[in-house]
Amino acid sequence: MIPFLPLKDITSAYRDEISTAISRVVNSGWYLQGAENTSFERNYAEYIGSRHCISCGNGLDALTLILRAYKELGIMCDGDEIIVPANTYIASILAITENHLIPVLVEPKLETLEIDDSQIEKHITPRTRAIMIVHLYGRCAYTNNIGNLCRKYNLKLIEDNAQAHGCRFNTKRTGSLGDAAGHSFYPGKNLGALGDAGAVTTDNEELATCVRALANYGSSQKYVFDYCGRNSRLDEIQAAVLDVKLRHLDADNRKRQQVADYYSENISNPLIKLPIRLPDENNVYHLFPIFCTRRDELQQYLTNNGVQTLIHYPIPPHKQNCYRNWSNTALPITEKIHAEELSLPISPVLNIEDAKQIVNLINTFE
């Protein structure tokens, strides 16, 4: 079986460095909010190109903390609207509704899979406070038009960078394009920890200070609480592991791009559709999605022939039980994507021989 994502093999590539880092933490006797966090936050901020990085418990917390901080700073309030792509993973939307804000779902472009920037302006109202772009699949979602809309209507630009560590738009990395960005380091991400982990990046010092306090029970000074905060902290072991993996991130992304190039150039079955191909700097291939109207048959065929695939994601957010009040909303492009998407194996340890086998199977599916 060719696995979808062999996390053990990915981690083993840097086993000695990771073991040294973990041992250093264990021997230090300091397991939270210590030197490893300080080092990772500094290095990740520098890598992304932001002034501030605030580590936290996971990617959902990162997005939630950004919006909560904007509320604490008086920039947003209950009932304000956040524009967000309709086809995103549900975490993007959960962060909005948890803060008693209103998600405004905008369809993606079928050829790019990212929010359709030509459809955003008609959804802007006097209650709109931000556009949240999601660099889904590792593809850059930012466009100059989105930036112009934020300036025109004085909106915050929030990035969900959970799937695009290392991606670029021109000379800047995703995570530094807007006012603030949430990052997930879930183990399966391009930059993955050995458990849950996340971070916020921003150039805004006031926002960074507020986010850091909110993630620490609402406290910026021990036993002094300015906000009703939460406990969302990155432990020292995860910070140390992430610091190791960060050093190899660009090289790992290039390996993903090599596999993606092979897929893009050799999948020729007319039953299979691929999204528009982006320049490598605009796509770090967290996932490699293909589309087929007979998606479930194709997945079973690949499984029967020893290839593991996954679906991202089988049910769109507006069809989930937790948002059942949206169930009658018509979002045909989003629904088509969710009904036809299939993710092929892609990782820094997938070799071209395996990629050839996968392509040959896809091209013979009928």
Side-chain angles (χ1 to χ4, degrees):
M1 174 69 76
I2 299 174
F4 179 75
L5 186 66
L7 290 177
K8 182 179 178 181
D9 294 342
I10 293 170
T11 302
S12 292
Y14 310 116
R15 179 187 300 274
D16 290 345
E17 291 176 79
I18 289 172
S19 295
T20 298
I22 291 174
S23 295
R24 184 174 65 246
V25 175
V26 172
N27 293 332
S28 75
W30 194 291
Y31 306 129
L32 281 171
Q33 296 181 307
E36 302 295 343
N37 261 267
T38 299
S39 175
F40 174 67
E41 289 181 347
R42 179 182 63 248
N43 291 335
Y44 193 64
E46 182 178 353
Y47 177 83
I48 291 295
S50 293
R51 289 180 58 202
H52 304 282
C53 171
I54 307 94
S55 57
C56 62
N58 54 69
L60 173 57
D61 279 2
L63 293 173
T64 304
L65 288 164
I66 290 168
L67 294 171
R68 172 71 187 284
Y70 277 133
K71 290 182 69 179
E72 293 291 350
L73 296 173
I75 294 168
M76 298 178 186
C77 62
D78 287 5
D80 283 343
E81 298 170 354
I82 310 296
I83 289 173
V84 64
N87 64 317
T88 186
Y89 181 57
I90 200 166
S92 313
I93 297 172
L94 288 172
I96 298 170
T97 57
E98 183 175 332
N99 279 290
H100 305 288
L101 302 168
I102 299 174
V104 177
L105 307 182
V106 174
E107 288 265 62
K109 290 182 179 178
L110 194 57
E111 64 271 22
T112 68
L113 310 178
E114 306 299 337
I115 192 168
D116 187 343
D117 60 354
S118 71
Q119 299 299 309
I120 292 175
E121 189 165 20
K122 69 181 182 182
H123 289 87
I124 296 173
T125 76
R127 294 305 301 269
T128 306
R129 294 294 177 267
I131 300 172
M132 180 184 290
I133 57 173
V134 183
H135 304 295
L136 204 60
Y137 307 110
R139 301 167 64 91
C140 180
Y142 180 83
T143 67
N144 286 323
N145 186 42
I146 292 173
N148 290 336
L149 287 172
C150 288
R151 287 185 287 272
K152 179 178 178 180
Y153 292 98
N154 193 28
L155 305 177
K156 298 297 182 184
L157 178 60
I158 300 169
E159 297 174 77
D160 182 339
N161 199 49
Q163 298 188 5
H165 312 128
C167 189
R168 291 182 181 272
F169 179 83
N170 295 333
T171 61
K172 299 186 71 174
R173 293 194 194 273
T174 57
S176 68
L177 301 172
D179 295 284
H183 308 255
S184 168
F185 307 119
Y186 180 80
K189 304 298 187 185
N190 291 40
L191 179 60
L194 300 186
D196 273 325
V200 171
T201 54
T202 182
D203 284 343
N204 188 303
E205 185 169 355
E206 186 179 29
L207 182 70
T209 299
C210 187
V211 167
R212 190 176 295 281
L214 287 168
N216 187 37
Y217 297 96
S219 172
S220 56
Q221 180 182 347
K222 195 167 185 177
Y223 301 132
V224 177
F225 302 93
D226 298 315
Y227 312 104
C228 296
R230 64 200 304 163
N231 178 8
S232 181
R233 297 179 298 202
L234 180 66
D235 69 68
E236 287 287 277
I237 286 178
Q238 300 303 343
V241 169
L242 287 168
D243 231 2
V244 169
K245 287 190 161 187
L246 179 59
R247 296 196 289 268
H248 302 283
L249 177 57
D250 287 343
D252 282 350
N253 283 343
R254 284 192 292 272
K255 293 174 185 175
R256 288 174 176 269
Q257 288 162 348
Q258 289 169 3
V259 173
D261 287 345
Y262 186 84
Y263 284 155
S264 298
E265 292 164 7
N266 291 281
I267 292 175
S268 58
N269 190 328
L271 296 174
I272 309 301
K273 303 297 182 185
L274 302 180
I276 190 171
R277 192 172 177 185
L278 300 177
D280 277 349
E281 63 268 22
N282 301 140
N283 195 345
V284 292
Y285 296 100
H286 172 61
L287 299 171
F288 192 94
I290 64 173
F291 297 86
C292 180
T293 56
R294 293 161 53 205
R295 186 264 311 281
D296 294 345
E297 290 179 59
L298 174 60
Q299 183 177 42
Q300 189 61 57
Y301 165 78
L302 290 171
T303 299
N304 293 344
N305 285 278
V307 177
Q308 183 186 28
T309 59
L310 293 180
I311 297 170
H312 294 87
Y313 304 93
I315 305 172
H318 71 287
K319 295 296 184 181
Q320 297 288 350
N321 286 337
C322 62
Y323 293 124
R324 53 188 170 271
N325 55 310
W326 299 340
S327 60
N328 293 323
T329 303
L331 295 166
I333 297 174
T334 292
E335 290 162 23
K336 180 178 176 64
I337 288 172
H338 285 258
E340 298 182 5
E341 193 275 344
L342 187 67
S343 297
L344 300 183
I346 190 164
S347 75
V349 297
L350 183 71
N351 60 56
I352 294 298
E353 289 305 310
D354 284 343
K356 288 180 180 179
Q357 181 180 339
I358 294 166
V359 168
N360 288 338
L361 287 167
I362 290 171
N363 287 342
T364 55
F365 175 72
E366 57 184 23

